[in-house]
Amino acid sequence: MFYTMEEAAIIGGFLELYLDRDSVDPAVRERHRKFRQGLLGGALERADYEWAAAVLGFLRPQWWQEHEDHRALENALLKTRTLASKKE
């Protein structure tokens, strides 16, 4: 199982909005860069999904205030959690 193009765009765009800032820890920005490369290349591993689920969950309070399409983000988070929980 993997992300559809729409899901990848939603997740990628949302994470880009919050994690590509100077105020974000350099290690988090680097991990986001690697995730983005895997997302674009369709080469994500379980650890990538686990990281994305954690970050999306942490940023969840921002969804309701700044994004209209919180249902798409919620669906993407649920799928990410499912992908993260799958055995390799």
Side-chain angles (χ1 to χ4, degrees):
M1 186 185 277
F2 51 91
Y3 293 122
T4 65
M5 288 180 63
E6 181 178 317
E7 291 165 337
I10 290 166
I11 292 171
F14 181 76
L15 293 179
E16 188 79 21
L17 179 66
Y18 286 95
L19 300 181
D20 195 22
R21 300 176 180 190
D22 290 338
S23 61
V24 174
D25 184 87
V28 174
R29 285 197 320 261
E30 177 61 21
R31 185 63 183 89
H32 172 246
R33 186 188 64 76
K34 290 179 181 177
F35 177 80
R36 186 176 54 216
Q37 287 177 337
L39 185 63
L40 294 173
L44 294 173
E45 298 177 1
R46 184 177 181 182
D48 298 316
Y49 294 119
E50 290 170 347
W51 179 83
V55 172
L56 287 168
F58 179 79
L59 293 173
R60 192 173 189 186
Q62 300 300 318
W63 301 1
W64 313 110
Q65 298 164 12
E66 298 187 21
H67 292 279
E68 286 183 343
D69 202 358
H70 54 84
R71 283 178 279 178
L73 281 167
E74 183 67 37
N75 289 336
L77 174 58
L78 291 173
K79 185 170 184 175
T80 301
R81 287 180 177 162
T82 299
L83 293 169
S85 69
K86 291 207 178 272
K87 294 182 181 180
E88 298 205 32

